[in-house]
Amino acid sequence: VADAVVGSLVDVVGPGHVLTDADVRVGYEQDWTGAFGGPARAVVRPGSTAEVAAVVDACRAASVPIIPQGGNTGLVGGGVPEGPGPPGRGEIVLSTRRLQTIDPVDAAAGQITVGAGVTLLALQERLAPLGFEVGVDLASRSGATLGGMAATNAGGTRVLRHGTMRGRVVGAEAVLGTGATVTHLRGLTKDTTGYDLAGLLVGSEGTLGVITALRLVIDPRPAQRAAALVATTGFDAALATAVGVHRRLPTLEAAEVVDGATVELVMATLDLPPPVAGHPTWYVLLGAAGPGDEAEDLARALDATAGPSAVGVIDAVVAGDGPRVDALWRYRDRATESLAAAGPPRKLDVSVPVSALAAFVAAVPDAVARCAPGAVLHVFGHVLDGNLHCNLLGVPSGGGHRVDDVVLDLAVGLGGSIGGEHGIGRAKRSFLHLVRSPAEIDAFRAVKSALDPAGILNPGVLLPA
Ligand SMILES: Cc1cc2nc3c(=O)[nH]c(=O)nc-3n(C[C@H](O)[C@H](O)[C@H](O)COP(=O)(O)OP(=O)(O)OC[C@H]3O[C@@H](n4cnc5c(N)ncnc54)[C@H](O)[C@@H]3O)c2cc1C
C-alpha cells in the first residue's frame, strides 16, 4: 500500500517533489519546538492547487492521512506527524511551500491574493516598496507562511490595532477533505451570499481543507514607527503603563510584556547589553506607528502615564529610527528562540480578560511550583490582548504533565482560554472541553465530517479522538 500511494504521488508532482529519504524528510517531521513529531511515510510538495487536489484524491483513495504543513513554525504540534501509526497508515506531510504566487497589489481595494506557501517576510518585502504592509506581524516571519497563519488564526504583536489573521482573510481557495476545490477570492467588502467558508478555514488547523491561496486585506505602510522599552518593578506597573499609553496614544499598535528573567535570558543568548540600568522584574515594550513624529508622541504619552511620580516605573528608553527601534524589539522578538536554545521549554499559551491578568500573573508561579518543583517559569506576551505565553524550562516535554492542567485551569477559572493564538494542535486537544461545551464540540465534529468525511486531514489535531 505504501509504495502504491507514494507512486501515485510521484505521478502527480514528479519524483523531485516526493521526499522519502529519511535525512531529507526530517526537517518536515520534527516541529520547531523539538517536542512533537514522528516519521512520515513521505513528504509531498505540490506546486499548484490542481496538484494539491490530486494529492488529496490519491490519499483519500488509499485512506492515508495528510498533515498540511506551511513553514513548520507552529508551537502546538499540529503540522507534524503524530508518529508511527498502524501498518499502512503512516501520514503524508503535504508541504505548501511551493505555492509561491503573489498577485499584483489591488491598491484600490487595499487587498492582495497570495499563494498559501508565501512567507510573511516575503510578503512584507514585496509590499514595503509599494507603500503597503500586512498588518499582522510575528517574530517567526521568515518561516511562517500565510496559509499556516490563516490555519492557526495567528495573532502576533499588532493585534491591538490590526486584529488577528481572521480579520485579514477576506477570501480563500482550498482543497477540502472531500477532494473538492473551493475558490472564493473576490474579496468583496459586501457579499451576503451564504456560509463564510474562508472564515471557517481560519483557525481550522488543517483539519477541514488545505488552504492553497488567500485574499488578504493589506494596510498603507505608516511613515514612522517608534518604540519604547519601559522597565518596572512589577507586572501591575507594566500593565498600568500599557493601559495608560493606549488611552493617550491612538497610534499605539503594540504593547508587549516580558518578565525580567526572560530579558536576561535573551541578553545572555544574544550577548546583548542590558537595555536599562537596574534589575527590573517586568518590562513593557510599546510600539507606535503613524504619520507624525511617533517617537515624540510616544514619549509624551509615556511621560503623562509613567512620569517621575508613577509607581513602579524604573526607567524608559524611547527610539524613533529604524535600527534603534529594531534594537529595542530584540529583547522581545528573540524571546521564543532564546527559550528554545535553553530548552525545549514546555509552552502554555493562554489568554485571560485584561482585567484578570494581574491575578493570573500573581498565581501562576505558585501553581507551577506546586506541581513542577524546580521548573523555571518565563512569561511574556501581548499584554493588552490579555495573551500570555508561559514557558517552563526544566519540565519534560511531551504529553500529560500535571502542570498543563494546573496552568490551563487557572486561566479558564479567570474567564480565559487555553489557546490565545497558537491553536490547539496535538498539545492541547485533551483540554478542549475546558473551553468548549459538548454542544460546541459536537458542532465542530459535524463540520469536520461534512468537509472531511474520511477523516484524512490532520486526524488527532484540534479535536480529541
Ligand atoms: C519565534 C516564533 C515566534 C512566534 N510568534 C508568534 C506570535 O507572535 N503569534 C502567533 O500567533 N504565533 C506565533 N508563532 C507560532 C507560529 O509562527 C504561527 O502559529 C504560524 O501561524 C504558523 O505558520 P506556519 O506556516 O509555520 O504553519 P505550520 O507550523 O506549518 O502549521 C501550523 C498549523 O497550520 C496547519 N497548516 C499550515 N499550512 C496550512 C495550509 N496551507 N492549509 C491548511 N492548514 C495548514 C498545519 O496543519 C498546522 O496545524 C511563533 C513561532 C515562533 C517559532
Side-chain angles (χ1 to χ4, degrees), residues 77 116 147 241 266 269 315 371 442:
T241 303
V266 173
T269 311
D315 201 356
C371 50
D442 282 351

Side-chain angles (χ1 to χ4, degrees), residues 9 12-13 44-58 66 94-103 113-118 147 171-185 201 209-215:
L9 298 181
V12 172
V13 298
V44 60
R45 296 165 29 99
S48 66
T49 300
E51 286 188 3
V52 172
V55 168
V56 171
D57 272 345
I66 297 172
L94 188 164
S95 168
T96 60
R97 292 302 306 276
R98 287 179 64 225
L99 304 175
Q100 283 292 333
T101 51
I102 304 183
D103 284 4
T113 300
V114 296
V118 173
E173 177 179 77
V175 178
L176 304 177
T178 56
T181 299
V182 288
T183 306
H184 198 75
L185 292 167
L201 290 162
V210 181
I211 300 165
T212 54
L214 290 162
R215 181 80 172 171

